[in-house]
Amino acid sequence: MNPAARAAALFRARYGVAPAAVASAPGRVNLIGEHVDYYGGLVLPVALGERTAVAAGPAPGRLRAVAEDVRFTPVDVPWAPVRAGTWSDYAAGVAVLMAAERSGPDELGVALAVASDVPVGAGVSSSAALEVATAAALDAWWQRRHTPDALARIAHAAETTFVGVPCGMMDQMAAAVTSAHCALLLDCRTLERESVPVTVDLVLADTGERHDLRDGAYARRRAEGEAALARIRADHPSLDALVDIPPARLSALLPVLTPEQGRRVRHVVNEQQRTRLAARALESGDAEAFSALVNASHASLRDLYECSSPRLDAVAEAARQLPRVLGARMVGAGWGGSVLVVCEPGAAGVVAAQLSGDTALALPAVRVVVPGEGVRVE
Ligand code: GLA
């Protein structure tokens, strides 16, 4: 059964009635453009074939949430617009924000059931999939007729204001607007986008090392970048964002920064440039050029943004040694999660088999990435 059918079945089993609406949204893997979305940079995510489905219906005065995944304890609490500190906050935040859009019935409340094929903690944004699927299910049930962009904005607001993670827009937009078989070249400042056909094969190797965005390292990086921008702006007030710095101007701007700030800024400026070039290389089928940029992105995340880990580095390096592999890099926030492996067209199956059979690497999950599509009402 697909996640939508499982979410509907779980809803009926738990609450004894059929859901009012069911929607689903995909996880994502970012091909390149890492740690630039919250500076308004360019990103290039692909939606995964794996999806999270949310079934929603009324529960007057209560917030009820149940997930198929037994690690997520069922929630049944009085309806209140406050964070509970549990997994259900991602969905509850969306429900609270959407309920506040219009004055609704006095006894507002929602019951949710969640079924998902998106791995949790693997750096593929299971949280945005849950948020966007919840937004679409409530939108269908409450007949709000929001566009996919608007659903992504609500989902993003839920994550930043309700859950409290200062993330950029990449994950929610990827879950909402990506077209099938394509990567999404997204400008995170203007939300202008372009679909780029995926002309390489992709494998995603989960290292088993877990990260949690709420642990503070992510927020610290963002604050470091913002402090660097503030320092540069003291001399160059017309500069709006780090991603606006042309790579050729970097050396002139760096001396006023601390060495650490300099490393962060070099990553952001060069990653912006790499993403632009990578989208063109992918589009023109230049797999070698694309993969060289992917490898350079990993080195930059490791050495300059300092968000890789010894295990991510080792898995990326081992993958690069395999025949028919063109490049590899850590994906998502880092400090654990997954490695993206870029392969020659047609090679994903054999590369995935080799990686999962490598007992020294002991990877808990290796999957061939079949690019999926954004949110849909089921
Ligand atoms: C996490 C965040 C995204 C993005 C990436 C790093 O996945 O949710 O907004 O910042 O890290 O590129």
Side-chain angles (χ1 to χ4, degrees):
M1 268 203 290
N2 67 23
R6 286 171 5 231
L10 181 63
F11 192 100
R12 265 189 227 98
R14 179 84 186 180
Y15 307 118
V17 290
V22 182
S24 73
R28 64 94 189 95
V29 57
N30 189 21
L31 303 187
I32 195 164
E34 213 68 271
H35 283 287
V36 295
D37 63 342
Y38 46 86
Y39 300 121
L42 290 171
V43 296
L44 190 65
V46 161
L48 296 182
E50 287 87 353
R51 304 178 75 82
T52 294
V54 174
R62 314 276 313 163
L63 170 71
R64 297 199 165 116
V66 61
E68 198 182 45
D69 188 327
V70 292
R71 289 170 297 176
F72 301 133
T73 318
V75 172
D76 188 348
V77 292
W79 174 264
V82 289
R83 181 158 65 128
T86 72
W87 68 276
S88 58
D89 283 343
Y90 295 99
V94 167
V96 163
L97 290 178
M98 288 183 72
E101 286 177 336
R102 286 192 202 163
S103 54
D106 289 344
E107 278 238 289
L108 189 75
V110 297
L112 305 168
V114 180
S116 180
D117 291 336
V118 181
V120 174
V124 295
S125 204
S126 55
S127 54
L130 174 57
E131 290 156 357
V132 172
T134 303
L138 296 179
D139 185 79
W141 167 25
W142 292 342
Q143 299 182 5
R144 297 285 173 86
R145 297 180 199 287
H146 286 305
T147 62
D149 282 62
L151 297 178
R153 282 183 198 279
I154 293 165
H156 180 250
E159 180 129 2
T160 53
T161 66
F162 194 85
V163 181
V165 177
C167 65
M169 277 289 275
M170 166 168 73
D171 303 342
Q172 292 78 14
M173 284 296 284
V177 308
T178 308
S179 311
H181 313 300
C182 287
L184 177 75
L185 178 63
L186 177 72
D187 181 319
C188 293
R189 181 161 34 187
T190 60
L191 299 190
E192 279 166 28
R193 85 273 328 232
E194 204 182 295
S195 286
V196 180
V198 179
T199 53
V200 289
D201 266 27
L202 302 167
V203 168
L204 196 62
D206 184 354
T207 63
E209 208 173 26
R210 288 293 174 254
H211 77 290
D212 187 338
L213 285 190
R214 288 168 293 184
D215 74 4
Y218 181 88
R220 213 154 44 238
R221 282 293 176 279
R222 184 172 180 157
E224 288 162 3
E226 276 160 11
L229 175 64
R231 178 61 195 88
I232 297 173
R233 275 173 60 93
D235 302 329
H236 304 275
S238 62
L239 182 77
D240 282 338
L242 293 178
V243 293
D244 291 335
I245 300 174
R249 274 193 74 202
L250 259 180
S251 54
L253 297 177
L254 293 180
V256 298
L257 301 178
T258 66
E260 184 185 82
Q261 287 173 335
R263 291 195 296 278
R264 308 298 183 247
V265 172
R266 276 163 62 208
H267 168 73
V268 172
V269 169
N270 291 324
E271 186 77 353
Q272 173 81 349
Q273 174 80 347
R274 279 190 289 269
T275 306
R276 196 173 279 127
L277 296 173
R280 298 288 78 95
L282 195 60
E283 203 166 44
S284 63
D286 189 344
E288 301 278 344
F290 174 75
S291 305
L293 292 159
V294 164
N295 287 336
S297 171
H298 183 86
S300 179
L301 291 159
R302 179 191 62 208
D303 301 336
L304 300 178
Y305 218 68
E306 296 174 279
C307 61
S308 188
S309 72
R311 174 128 168 99
L312 287 166
D313 296 342
V315 171
E317 193 44 49
R320 287 188 201 118
Q321 303 308 317
L322 294 176
R324 307 190 69 188
V325 168
L326 302 172
R329 72 171 196 88
M330 55 147 282
V331 287
W335 299 287
S338 296
V339 168
L340 174 71
V341 183
V342 182
C343 319
E344 289 173 4
V350 328
V351 168
Q354 273 179 303
L355 282 169
S356 53
D358 187 325
T359 47
L361 288 180
L363 297 164
V366 178
R367 48 176 58 81
V368 172
V369 175
V370 180
E373 59 187 327
V375 69
R376 62 171 179 255
V377 174
E378 303 280 351

